[in-house]
Amino acid sequence: MKNIFNYTLVELENYFLSINEKKYRAHQLYDFIYNKKINIINDVTTFNTLLKENISKEISLDTLTLIDKKVSQDTVKFLFELDDKEKIETVIMKHDYGNSVCISTQVGCNMGCSFCESGRLKKVRDLEVYEMVLQVLMAEKHLNERVSHVVIMGIGEPFDNYANVLKFINIINDNKGLNIGSRHITLSTCGIIPKIKDFMNEGLGVNLAISLHAPNDIIRDKIMPINKVYYINNLIKIVREYIQKTNRRVTFEYIMLNDINDSETDALELSRLLRGINCYINLIPYNETSNSAYKKSNKEKILRFYDILKKNKINVTIRKEFGSDIDAACGQLRSKY
Ligand code: SF4
C-alpha cells in the first residue's frame, strides 16, 4: 500500500485516471489532506462510499509515531519513529516572521562531520518522500498553526537523497497543498559539487545554504571528510557559477568551534575567500553535547570574528541560539535512544 504523502498532485491525477475517475478527484483529495487535515479517507465528504472503499485498499494516510517531544520557549523538538522502528528528529523554531520547521532527510548520515551528532551515527537509509512531508504536517498539527518556512537541514545530507528531496520540495511547494513558497524553503548541503550543479539546473528557486565551517582545506579536512573529495576552492567555484546562473544569493553556514576555526586569521582568510560573492555568512554558536570533542567559541570571539567579516564587507549574521536547553543539537535526541 502506498502512502498518500508520496504523491505529487500530477501523480495523484494519474492515479485517479487509472481507476477510471476524473482528474479533479485528485484536487479534492489534496485539499482534504493538506488544507482540511483529515486523517482517514472516510472523512473525504465529496467522495461516495464505493470510491472511499476502493482508495482505502490502495492508499494509506498513515502518519509518523511521536515517541518524544521537548519543548522550550522558541523551539519544539520531536523524535518520530518510522514503520521500520528507525527514529528521526524534526525541530520547530518559532521566529517573529513565522514558524520554521527543520526536517531530516535520512536516518543517520554518512558525511561524518566531526562536530555533528548525526554524523556519529552512520546512515541507515534514505527517508521516503512521505516521511519528509509528514514531518511538516506533524509540526503543523502540534502548532495548530501554519508552517511558513522549511529548512532541509536536519539529520542527513539532502543531496545524498537527491530524487526524494526534490520531490518533497515539489510537494510542499504546490499551491494546492501546503503552499510553502520556494523563497521560504532552504536546503543545506555539506558541498557535494556534482549535485550542486544538478540543483542549479532544476530552476526551483529555493534557497541554497552551504555548510562551509572553515576558511581553508587544512581546517575543513579535519572537521568535514567531504572536503577530501571536493576541495574548498572547487566548492567556491561552483557556488559562484550557481549564483550567476540562478541569480540567487547563497548562504554559508559557519559553526564556531573554539580554537579550531574561530581565530582572527581565520576570519581574515574567510573574508578573502568570499570576497565579491553575493552571499552571506551565518555564524552558528556551537551546541555542545556530552559527546562533543569540541567546545563552543565564547561570545567575545564570535563578535570579534563577526566584526572582521563586517569590516571586510562580508554580509554576516550570528544565528540565534535555539533550544540549547532541550538537546537541540542535530541528532542529539535520536542518539539518546
Ligand atoms: S553536519 Fe550534516 S552532512 Fe555533516 S554529518 Fe551532520 S547531518 Fe551529515
Side-chain angles (χ1 to χ4, degrees):
M1 196 177 283
K2 206 165 169 188
N3 191 293
I4 185 82
F5 300 106
N6 263 325
Y7 286 84
T8 63
L9 188 53
V10 173
E11 285 173 343
L12 208 54
E13 285 175 348
N14 289 334
Y15 166 74
F16 277 101
L17 290 176
S18 77
I19 57 166
N20 298 320
E21 287 287 341
K22 297 273 189 286
K23 269 187 184 181
Y24 73 85
R25 292 292 189 198
H27 293 246
Q28 290 177 326
L29 185 51
Y30 234 59
D31 180 46
F32 269 90
I33 59 173
Y34 285 114
N35 301 318
K36 301 191 172 75
K37 316 273 188 214
I38 56 138
N39 299 319
I40 45 169
I41 296 278
N42 218 18
D43 289 347
V44 185
T45 49
T46 45
F47 287 2
N48 64 35
T49 310
L50 185 63
L51 181 56
K52 286 184 210 173
E53 273 173 17
N54 287 341
I55 297 173
S56 301
K57 282 180 205 148
E58 293 179 342
I59 295 180
S60 88
L61 264 72
D62 286 351
T63 183
L64 309 175
T65 309
L66 179 65
I67 56 170
D68 201 354
K69 183 170 78 180
K70 306 257 181 199
V71 183
S72 75
Q73 206 186 354
D74 52 13
T75 313
V76 185
K77 185 159 194 164
F78 302 100
L79 188 72
F80 293 118
E81 189 171 84
L82 310 172
D83 291 346
D84 57 2
K85 305 288 175 212
E86 293 296 345
K87 293 162 188 67
I88 53 163
E89 291 180 2
T90 306
V91 182
I92 299 174
M93 290 159 290
K94 294 179 189 165
H95 300 274
D96 40 15
Y97 55 77
N99 297 309
S100 174
V101 171
C102 178
I103 69 129
S104 296
T105 54
Q106 296 179 312
V107 179
C109 181
N110 274 346
M111 299 300 133
C113 306
S114 59
F115 50 82
C116 172
E117 194 73 12
S118 304
R120 243 174 20 90
L121 307 167
K122 290 275 170 233
K123 175 175 126 175
V124 179
R125 68 171 174 87
D126 292 330
L127 290 192
E128 297 292 331
V129 175
Y130 76 93
E131 293 168 327
M132 292 184 254
V133 174
L134 278 168
Q135 292 177 63
V136 182
L137 285 169
M138 299 281 281
E140 283 203 334
K141 192 174 163 199
H142 168 89
L143 288 164
N144 209 11
E145 276 176 29
R146 191 171 178 269
V147 163
S148 57
H149 292 69
V150 170
V151 288
I152 309 170
M153 245 181 229
I155 299 173
E157 162 53 51
F159 282 167
D160 190 34
N161 186 12
Y162 190 83
N164 284 351
V165 167
L166 231 62
K167 192 170 168 189
F168 161 73
I169 291 173
N170 280 320
I171 290 175
I172 62 169
N173 185 227
D174 195 312
N175 60 15
K176 296 270 183 348
L178 286 170
N179 193 20
I180 297 172
S182 51
R183 300 285 191 264
H184 289 187
I185 301 171
T186 302
L187 179 147
S188 173
T189 175
C190 65
I192 301 178
I193 290 177
K195 294 293 185 217
I196 298 176
K197 252 187 203 162
D198 292 346
F199 198 63
M200 168 171 92
N201 294 317
E202 303 285 357
L204 290 175
V206 307
N207 305 307
L208 179 69
I210 306 282
S211 298
L212 187 63
H213 308 315
N216 58 47
D217 284 326
I218 297 171
I219 299 175
R220 203 162 188 264
D221 274 355
K222 281 188 199 146
I223 59 176
M224 300 182 74
I226 191 76
N227 197 66
K228 293 183 178 135
V229 186
Y230 304 117
Y231 306 136
I232 213 164
N233 281 338
N234 293 338
L235 180 59
I236 298 300
K237 195 167 155 232
I238 187 70
V239 169
R240 283 182 188 274
E241 258 179 63
Y242 182 94
I243 294 168
Q244 205 178 15
K245 166 110 195 201
T246 61
N247 213 9
R248 306 274 300 142
R249 186 152 77 164
V250 164
T251 303
F252 288 100
E253 309 282 347
Y254 197 100
I255 202 158
M256 299 294 293
L257 304 169
N258 188 45
D259 290 342
I260 302 290
N261 63 357
D262 64 347
S263 71
E264 294 184 10
T265 317
D266 296 332
L268 283 169
E269 197 173 359
L270 188 61
S271 307
R272 280 195 296 275
L273 184 74
L274 302 183
R275 189 162 295 153
I277 299 181
N278 182 15
C279 67
Y280 77 89
I281 302 189
N282 201 1
L283 299 179
I284 307 170
Y286 180 54
N287 248 325
E288 276 175 38
T289 71
S290 51
N291 298 310
S292 296
Y294 302 107
K295 295 266 167 255
K296 66 195 281 185
S297 309
N298 65 34
K299 235 183 205 154
E300 290 69 39
K301 268 184 152 177
I302 296 177
L303 287 175
R304 182 79 193 116
F305 203 93
Y306 173 91
D307 282 344
I308 293 172
L309 292 174
K310 268 256 159 218
K311 257 188 211 131
N312 283 281
K313 305 204 172 4
I314 305 285
N315 298 311
V316 55
T317 49
I318 300 174
R319 186 188 286 176
K320 186 181 164 207
E321 285 185 76
F322 279 96
S324 48
D325 52 331
I326 56 158
D327 301 334
C330 166
Q332 205 177 344
L333 188 56
R334 176 173 171 257
S335 74
K336 276 194 176 170
Y337 280 76

